[in-house]
Amino acid sequence: MFNLLYVEWLKVKKYKAFWIILGIFAVPFPIIFMEIMKKIDEKAGVVGVMFTAFPSIWQMSGFWSSINLVLLAMLVILMITNENTYRTIRQNIIDGWSREQFFTAKLLQVIMLSVLATIVATIAGIITGVALDDMHNASKGSYFIFYIFLQSLCYLSAALFIGLYVKRAALAIAIYFMYVVIGGEFLLQFVMNKYLGGYVGNFLPLQASDELVPFPNMDKLSKEVTGKAPLDPSIYLIATLVYIGLFIFLSYRKMKKADL
Amino acid sequence: MENNVLSLHQISKKYGAVQALAGVSFDVPSGSVFGILGPNGSGKTTLLGIIMDVLKADQGTYSWFNEQPHSSLRKRIGTLLETPNFYHYYTAVQNLEITAAIKGHGKQDIDGALQMTGLYERRHSKFSTYSLGMKQRLAIAAALLGDPQILLFDEPTNGLDPAGIAEIRDLIRKLNQLGKTVIMASHLLDEVEKVCTHVAILKKGNLLTAGLVNTVLSNEDIIEVSTDDLAKLESVLTAWPGVKSVQRFHTILQVTFEGEFTTGQVNQYCFEQGIVLSHLSIKKKSLEAKFIELTN
């Protein structure tokens, strides 16, 4: 295990693109978040408190994190497709790693990046909390931090899955972008909820983990507007865990059987 | 069990409708320089890919060191498969550090391997700036890390200049003298003949023959003769017991024999038959011709 992490560390240690993307993710993210939250607090007055006090701060931070996770997902896709492009995936196996070891190394990378995303989102929540709320309230909804971790793991294991199956960096990133950023998932969710009824669209792979950390007070609002009662969060928790398991299992199976 | 480092048993693989390998079996004895010879597309690289677990065989089994294949066994094999595969954004040294870490060795061999392959001066240049020949050398350097007992080279002289080719051949002989087994794939018959002790010949996924180079690629001599009355000479030679074939090329006849015949015997026989030869020479049958004969 230590050896796997050490080799992965050697692979990124002096890889500039890796550190630039990581830097963009880790540094501006909490600062911009705090500034936006301050603006909301300033402009929205009483309504703003719905968003700028704990536990809403954790939820807002999770929502903000789900947008920024695209950067880390790109990084995961880049790291796995690089191995295919340079054919170092072959070389690592030839040099004596088993296919399982190669997969484990990549999975460890995904887990570590998910931990990092969680830490960054937590820092964003804390600095915002210090500025706008009393830190004594920070424990309210702190379980959202764990949900943010699951959300990150779901987003990044999906990236690992796409990277392993699609193999080409540009195509894999394009597919991920179309689904997550340009609104492919949003559109699907809308269409499915409208025509299939109920909350079917909420169970799309990444949406389920987004529902785990919902936009604050949206459940109450949606109940008033649509008259539908929101689903129990534990259903989304199960769905998210199932998706994470599925992405990891399918990636593992691909790695185990494919010609490299 | 015999002293084989590698045994293949009925290895088959298809790519869609193309039969890349069809039930290939052979053994590689310890201490040999084993050539896998075949034209482009004969299945050499597929075969090597399978025994290094980067490709999956449809059928068949193989064993390294008489053991079930296992990833840790590959750490005892230095391999260059098809293309040099390295991280483009890293230098030679940084790349070899990764290789050494995967193989579970320290960094102590890196300088030596780079010196042996003539890359030491350029060790801090990025891989992406290397020429094809330098990339090939780096791949060989990577294979040498950790002093493996077996070296597996796929077209090792690919992209090298003539001096580089000679160097690599010397290196292979040197490694063999140190007791290492070298397995190399090549489409160059000349290369196999110069450095290998054993050879297996593949054609369209079928194993044609395997064994000692001297046996498989034994050279038959051709004797060339000419005279004024070529038709008479041809009929006289064809009638001679021991003559295997007579072929006419313009004004020359090429004769092959069963067993050993000298030019002197040929001259004497023709003279006794009343023919004075105007041309008599011995010609080694070209290995290329032999190769084409074997693979066609």
Side-chain angles (χ1 to χ4, degrees):
Chain A
M1 183 106 127
F2 173 76
N3 175 262
L4 300 185
L5 275 176
Y6 176 64
V7 170
E8 289 301 310
W9 165 247
L10 287 179
K11 286 180 192 173
V12 300
K13 194 169 78 172
K14 288 181 182 158
Y15 185 28
K16 277 194 203 118
F18 179 86
W19 294 108
I20 290 171
I21 297 178
L22 211 60
I24 293 174
F25 176 80
V27 181
F29 163 56
I31 298 167
I32 294 173
F33 177 70
M34 183 177 69
E35 293 305 322
I36 292 175
M37 292 293 275
K38 275 183 184 167
K39 273 277 179 304
I40 293 175
D41 194 54
E42 220 171 86
K43 295 267 158 84
V46 186
V47 187
V49 181
M50 282 172 68
F51 304 103
T52 58
F54 290 111
S56 296
I57 289 176
W58 293 129
Q59 286 170 276
M60 291 297 280
S61 157
F63 173 74
W64 181 241
S65 176
S66 78
I67 297 170
N68 286 278
L69 271 172
V70 173
L71 273 176
L72 291 193
M74 254 172 61
L75 203 55
V76 169
I77 291 175
L78 193 66
M79 294 307 292
I80 189 80
T81 51
N82 262 353
E83 303 265 13
N84 259 313
T85 317
Y86 301 144
R87 309 192 85 180
T88 41
I89 187 169
R90 283 185 137 201
Q91 199 60 43
N92 287 176
I93 305 294
I94 287 168
D95 288 337
W97 263 3
S98 65
R99 285 159 175 256
E100 290 85 350
Q101 281 174 316
F102 184 90
F103 178 76
T104 310
K106 288 295 164 212
L107 186 61
L108 286 173
Q109 201 177 63
V110 163
I111 291 170
M112 296 197 53
L113 287 173
S114 302
V115 170
L116 174 85
T118 312
I119 291 171
V120 171
T122 308
I123 291 172
I126 290 172
I127 59 173
T128 309
V130 169
L132 302 176
D133 194 5
D134 189 337
M135 279 313 282
H136 287 105
N137 295 327
S139 63
K140 280 189 205 163
S142 56
Y143 60 91
F144 278 121
I145 294 174
F146 177 63
Y147 286 173
I148 290 171
F149 170 72
L150 289 183
Q151 183 186 44
S152 311
L153 193 57
C154 191
Y155 271 72
L156 299 187
S157 55
L160 177 69
F161 166 78
I162 292 174
L164 264 175
Y165 275 81
V166 179
K167 289 188 179 177
R168 289 198 200 108
L171 190 59
I173 290 175
I175 290 173
Y176 197 90
F177 252 70
M178 286 211 326
Y179 188 72
V180 181
V181 186
I182 306 187
E185 183 175 54
F186 182 76
L187 204 67
L188 270 177
Q189 185 196 9
F190 179 77
V191 169
M192 283 168 85
N193 279 352
K194 188 164 168 123
Y195 294 102
L196 297 175
Y199 291 107
V200 184
N202 291 8
F203 288 93
L204 285 163
L206 301 179
Q207 191 57 37
S209 73
D210 284 343
E211 297 292 338
L212 207 52
V213 195
F215 205 74
N217 303 306
M218 282 306 274
D219 44 349
K220 290 168 200 158
L221 192 69
S222 118
K223 196 177 170 185
E224 272 168 33
V225 174
T226 63
K228 288 193 287 187
L231 295 177
D232 193 80
S234 60
I235 296 175
Y236 293 120
L237 178 61
I238 293 168
T240 303
L241 291 173
V242 167
Y243 277 123
I244 292 172
L246 204 63
F247 286 137
I248 292 175
F249 170 73
L250 289 176
S251 305
Y252 173 77
R253 208 181 57 161
K254 173 82 175 166
M255 190 60 217
K256 186 84 182 138
K257 291 191 170 169
D259 283 343
L260 302 176
Chain B
M1 263 311 186
E2 280 185 46
N3 198 12
N4 293 325
V5 292
L6 170 67
S7 296
L8 279 77
H9 184 68
Q10 292 295 322
I11 299 276
S12 295
K13 168 131 184 118
K14 269 188 178 180
Y15 292 116
V18 180
Q19 186 83 46
L21 290 171
V24 173
S25 307
F26 61 82
D27 297 316
V28 176
S30 177
S32 62
V33 180
F34 197 99
I36 298 170
L37 181 64
N40 297 325
S42 57
K44 305 183 294 287
T45 299
T46 301
L47 187 74
L48 298 183
I50 288 170
I51 59 178
M52 296 315 286
D53 196 33
V54 293
L55 299 176
K56 292 288 184 186
D58 299 333
Q59 270 158 21
T61 55
Y62 61 94
S63 64
W64 283 107
F65 309 100
N66 294 322
E67 285 180 49
Q68 283 294 311
H70 185 267
S71 63
S72 66
L73 296 177
R74 290 201 292 279
K75 292 178 180 166
R76 291 154 64 184
I77 305 164
T79 306
L80 155 62
L81 188 60
E82 203 172 11
T83 48
N85 308 319
F86 293 98
Y87 297 92
H88 289 214
Y89 48 84
Y90 274 173
T91 66
V93 172
Q94 288 165 339
N95 266 301
L96 291 189
E97 281 173 2
I98 293 177
T99 309
I102 290 176
K103 284 182 176 286
H105 301 297
K107 299 173 184 173
Q108 67 277 4
D109 298 347
I110 291 176
D111 282 355
L114 287 169
Q115 271 157 354
M116 209 183 287
T117 48
L119 286 176
Y120 191 71
E121 311 298 318
R122 291 287 304 274
R123 67 191 183 282
H124 294 307
S125 302
K126 272 192 186 163
F127 179 72
S128 54
T129 67
Y130 274 19
S131 70
L132 184 60
M134 290 168 74
K135 289 175 178 173
Q136 193 76 0
R137 285 161 185 268
L138 184 60
I140 292 168
L144 294 174
L145 288 182
D147 198 25
Q149 296 148 271
I150 297 181
L151 291 142
L152 197 152
F153 294 139
D154 188 7
E155 316 261 351
T157 54
N158 222 355
L160 297 179
D161 53 27
I165 291 174
E167 255 173 67
I168 296 306
R169 285 179 185 165
D170 278 347
L171 180 67
I172 291 174
R173 282 194 209 98
K174 217 186 290 169
L175 290 166
N176 185 239
Q177 280 161 12
L178 292 170
K180 299 182 190 305
T181 308
V182 182
I183 301 168
M184 59 179 269
S186 179
H187 62 272
L188 303 173
L189 191 94
D190 171 61
E191 183 166 274
V192 169
E193 201 228 357
K194 278 185 178 144
V195 297
C196 294
T197 57
H198 293 66
V199 65
I201 299 179
L202 282 178
K203 183 199 166 191
K204 288 184 183 160
N206 290 288
L207 181 71
L208 295 182
T209 176
L212 287 164
V213 166
N214 293 340
T215 327
V216 175
L217 299 178
S218 67
N219 269 340
E220 289 169 334
D221 291 343
I222 296 173
I223 292 177
E224 286 189 339
V225 287
S226 187
T227 186
D228 297 336
D229 189 353
L230 220 51
K232 187 183 174 196
L233 179 60
E234 190 169 1
S235 66
V236 161
L237 282 171
T238 312
W240 193 16
V243 168
K244 198 163 139 193
S245 72
V246 180
Q247 271 185 309
R248 193 164 171 167
F249 289 97
H250 306 295
T251 59
I252 280 173
L253 296 178
Q254 289 194 342
V255 192
T256 58
F257 298 89
E258 313 265 8
E260 293 282 315
F261 278 84
T262 64
T263 44
Q265 285 171 294
V266 175
N267 199 4
Q268 190 179 7
Y269 173 76
C270 291
F271 194 73
E272 282 164 8
Q273 300 296 318
I275 298 169
V276 179
L277 296 174
S278 60
H279 170 86
L280 174 63
S281 73
I282 189 160
K283 194 182 159 195
K284 292 276 179 195
K285 186 167 183 178
S286 88
L287 281 163
E288 241 60 44
K290 173 84 182 174
F291 182 47
I292 288 163
E293 182 186 299
L294 273 169
T295 55
N296 275 328

